[in-house]
Amino acid sequence: MDLSTLRRRGEAAQRELAEASLLLGSGRLKSWDLSAFYARYSDLGSSEAYALAQEGLERANEAPDKERWRRLTFLAYQFQEGRATARPLEARLSFEATHEVRFEGESIPWHELSTRLAHEPIRERRFRLARAEDLALPALDKELSHRVGACQELANRLGFPSYEALWAKTSGIDLEGLAAQAQSVLARTEDAYRDLMGFGLRRIVGPIGLKPRGEAARHDLVRFQRLQPLDDLFPRRRLLPTAQQFLEQVGLSPDAQGKIELELQERAGYRALPTAAALEVPFQVRAFVPRLGGAGELFALLSVLGRAQRLAHLHPDAPFEEKRLADPSLGEGFGLAFALLLADSKFLERGLDADPRIAMEAARLVALSSLIDLRRGCASLLFERTLYREGPTEGLEGLSRELMQKALLVEWPVERWLFDVEPGFASAIHLRGQALAASLHFALLEAANEDYWRNPRTGSLLRKWWALSGDDAPALSKHLGSELSLERAADRLVAIAAR
């Protein structure tokens, strides 16, 4: 194994992963033989590939070289983890593709449950449907526990004291520092969240109290985040034109001069996972958004377009490490920066001809929904650090429930303790993306004014920032003039929701 082979094989594997993510997201791929995939790329997950990358990292003197070798080290490690955890992930994919839940004499496919919950207005029926969903999850606990254990065993084999230490070293993400910010966010926004969410539930779900005295539950948050009262503001016929108009006003081509192919899918029975992936960077980017209607569809559409535009504007001559192995928090950040335009009432007034009063209410509710996601992500990271440190031992189900209930002030089902844990500290990537979105927002405010969403200067700035593919989220944020801060992201959402 040499460097050119590592890059060539890595490019082939990344393209195949991109194809699979698009097929899985749109529901066209019902199952995926992960074991066979990792067997095809066993050379990437070999000790030889990992040693090559480690040796290069140790020899590198300049910061850019060190960063490129670190990314190659992370790639080699990820393929070792993928091979070690393929079976549990296959079991989960199979479950999601084939499992059905019996409810009131009907068999409901698993991937339709979240949509059914969000659209169910009768709370008693929603409660029973949610319980039917939750009670199916323990069937996966054994396999998901094996995945967590396999990650820890791999870390030990590679000479690390814990999976967190291995993942932090190879990914370059300061998990301890991020967890400290997450704890700070939960503390500093607790009172505001309680007050604002009390209003939000009454407005959308009904007269339901938050915990500890009230009876609010996870399914009420699912219903709230549907934002159904805003449907008249977001008619389906206006959603794509609104997104395209925004891109054109800031000086960007909606399809990036033919590089981006967007599919809006209306076929019934497919899972709803908005996705953007590059089959060839930057020339062939595909994006998929399910047509679910309402504010959620436009939020997803803007987010996917933000990710897709970044991929389509990477420099074609950039090295493999920058085009394919960039910090995934960058895509999260640009996607959320686009999506949170819906928390700007002026954008809604101009883009959707909204009445100012209605636009303000919509912006508040979108910000509150995003605050739910932020606080849930903070609690997830805190739980995942304990889970990987202690293993899936008895009693951690209760910790997961406790952290989520404290963060979101709703009854949280204990059965979700492993199912909600995405592989590879994905919660950390999501949180860094939320922090980066705030940095991007304030940088655009300073450089292109409060209506940057219709200022041609914005497109020039975005193209400049997308070209910095060698940066990770903290480096880009510093380039924008600020530190990467979860607290600032939280404060922004609270300020909007409290108007």
Side-chain angles (χ1 to χ4, degrees), residues 235-247:
R236 177 169 291 180
R237 70 181 186 281
R238 296 291 303 275
L239 303 185
L240 181 58
T242 297
Q244 291 173 328
Q245 181 184 46
F246 152 63
L247 292 170

Side-chain angles (χ1 to χ4, degrees), residues 101-123:
V101 168
R102 293 290 297 174
F103 179 71
E104 295 183 346
E106 178 186 6
S107 291
I108 304 175
W110 180 264
H111 56 79
E112 291 183 10
L113 285 172
S114 60
T115 301
R116 292 282 289 267
L117 274 176
H119 285 80
E120 177 53 63
I122 301 175
R123 191 167 190 269

Side-chain angles (χ1 to χ4, degrees), residues 169-477:
K169 180 71 173 178
T170 56
S171 72
I173 295 179
D174 178 9
L175 292 171
E176 185 174 359
L178 191 62
Q181 287 196 47
Q183 288 178 317
S184 173
V185 163
L186 290 172
R188 73 191 287 156
T189 63
E190 182 175 359
D191 290 341
Y193 174 81
R194 181 183 298 277
D195 293 342
L196 294 167
M197 197 63 224
F199 155 77
L201 280 181
R202 288 191 301 273
R203 171 70 177 86
I204 292 181
V205 182
I208 302 164
L210 294 167
K211 292 186 75 67
R213 297 182 182 86
E215 59 178 357
R218 173 184 171 270
H219 63 80
D220 294 313
L221 293 188
V222 175
R223 175 64 178 168
F224 170 82
Q225 291 191 291
R226 166 69 180 81
L227 300 180
Q228 183 270 333
L230 302 180
D231 281 357
D232 289 344
L233 178 59
F234 297 94
R236 177 169 291 180
R237 70 181 186 281
R238 296 291 303 275
L239 303 185
L240 181 58
T242 297
Q244 291 173 328
Q245 181 184 46
F246 152 63
L247 292 170
E248 290 166 352
Q249 286 180 329
V250 300
L252 296 172
S253 164
D255 68 351
Q257 285 79 44
K259 296 177 183 178
I260 298 173
E261 179 184 332
L262 173 65
E263 177 186 0
L264 301 178
Q265 188 185 84
E266 300 187 60
R267 301 169 198 166
Y270 280 29
R271 60 183 81 183
L273 296 174
T275 309
L279 302 184
E280 182 182 356
V281 182
F283 302 108
Q284 191 179 7
V285 180
R286 292 183 181 168
F288 161 77
V289 177
R291 302 226 71 169
L292 299 177
E297 183 179 323
L298 184 53
F299 193 95
L301 176 58
L302 288 168
S303 176
V304 163
L305 288 175
R307 296 163 183 261
Q309 288 281 336
R310 187 191 77 84
L311 290 169
H313 283 86
L314 295 177
H315 197 287
D317 296 329
F320 163 71
E321 298 89 338
E322 294 186 7
K323 289 195 295 186
R324 285 295 194 183
L325 306 182
D327 178 2
S329 303
L330 297 176
E332 292 271 343
F334 282 104
L336 191 57
F338 278 32
L340 279 176
L341 290 173
L342 300 191
D344 186 326
S345 61
K346 296 300 182 183
F347 174 83
L348 298 177
E349 286 181 42
R350 290 186 176 273
L352 292 164
D353 300 321
D355 175 88
R357 181 184 59 81
I358 295 175
M360 180 61 73
E361 180 185 29
R364 292 181 64 195
L365 292 173
V366 168
L368 182 51
S369 179
S370 295
L371 183 61
I372 292 172
D373 292 338
L374 178 56
R375 287 180 61 88
R376 180 168 54 216
C378 290
S380 294
L381 177 61
L382 298 180
F383 172 68
E384 287 166 20
R385 293 186 76 212
T386 302
L387 174 66
Y388 285 115
R389 183 171 60 248
E390 299 183 8
T393 56
E394 184 177 352
L396 283 192
E397 305 102 313
L399 176 62
S400 171
R401 183 181 195 174
E402 177 186 343
L403 287 170
M404 285 298 176
Q405 289 186 169
K406 186 174 181 181
L408 301 175
L409 305 180
V410 298
E411 182 69 24
W412 199 265
V414 70
E415 294 88 357
R416 305 191 69 88
W417 73 296
L418 288 175
F419 186 80
D420 285 344
V421 176
E422 299 180 64
F425 281 105
S427 60
I429 294 170
H430 299 326
L431 289 176
R432 285 182 16 138
Q434 288 167 316
L436 178 59
S439 294
L440 291 165
H441 168 73
F442 288 110
L444 287 170
L445 276 180
E446 182 176 347
N449 301 321
E450 63 181 10
D451 59 348
Y452 63 79
W453 35 265
R454 59 174 180 150
N455 188 335
R457 178 167 168 72
T458 293
S460 299
L461 290 167
L462 289 171
R463 281 189 288 268
K464 176 183 175 182
W465 298 337
W466 287 328
L468 300 174
S469 53
D471 284 352
D472 59 8
L476 177 56
S477 187

Side-chain angles (χ1 to χ4, degrees), residues 26-182:
S26 64
R28 293 183 174 91
L29 187 63
K30 299 301 183 183
S31 62
W32 187 19
D33 191 342
L34 280 165
S35 298
F37 169 77
Y38 285 109
R40 284 196 297 279
Y41 295 100
S42 58
D43 50 347
L44 285 179
S46 66
S47 56
E48 182 184 1
Y50 185 78
L52 171 69
Q54 280 282 86
E55 183 180 349
L57 181 59
E58 292 169 2
R59 289 200 315 264
N61 294 317
E62 301 296 327
D65 290 336
K66 284 184 175 293
E67 176 60 16
R68 288 172 185 163
W69 280 108
R70 185 202 59 73
R71 293 181 185 189
L72 289 169
T73 302
F74 192 41
L75 172 70
Y77 161 68
Q78 284 182 307
F79 273 76
Q80 290 196 41
E81 180 180 320
R83 186 173 58 187
T85 61
R87 194 184 76 176
L89 295 179
E90 285 172 354
R92 175 171 177 148
L93 284 173
S94 176
F95 176 89
E96 292 178 338
T98 63
H99 189 75
E100 296 185 348
V101 168
R102 293 290 297 174
F103 179 71
E104 295 183 346
E106 178 186 6
S107 291
I108 304 175
W110 180 264
H111 56 79
E112 291 183 10
L113 285 172
S114 60
T115 301
R116 292 282 289 267
L117 274 176
H119 285 80
E120 177 53 63
I122 301 175
R123 191 167 190 269
E124 175 58 29
R125 295 187 78 243
R126 196 168 63 245
F127 165 77
R128 288 187 282 110
L129 182 58
R131 283 309 293 158
E133 177 186 36
D134 296 334
L135 292 174
L137 294 177
L140 283 172
D141 280 359
K142 183 176 180 180
E143 290 287 3
L144 298 180
S145 294
H146 285 164
R147 187 191 69 78
V148 174
C151 289
Q152 182 60 44
E153 290 173 9
L154 178 57
N156 295 154
R157 287 203 305 271
L158 294 175
F160 289 85
S162 68
Y163 177 65
E164 178 177 339
L166 165 63
W167 205 85
K169 180 71 173 178
T170 56
S171 72
I173 295 179
D174 178 9
L175 292 171
E176 185 174 359
L178 191 62
Q181 287 196 47

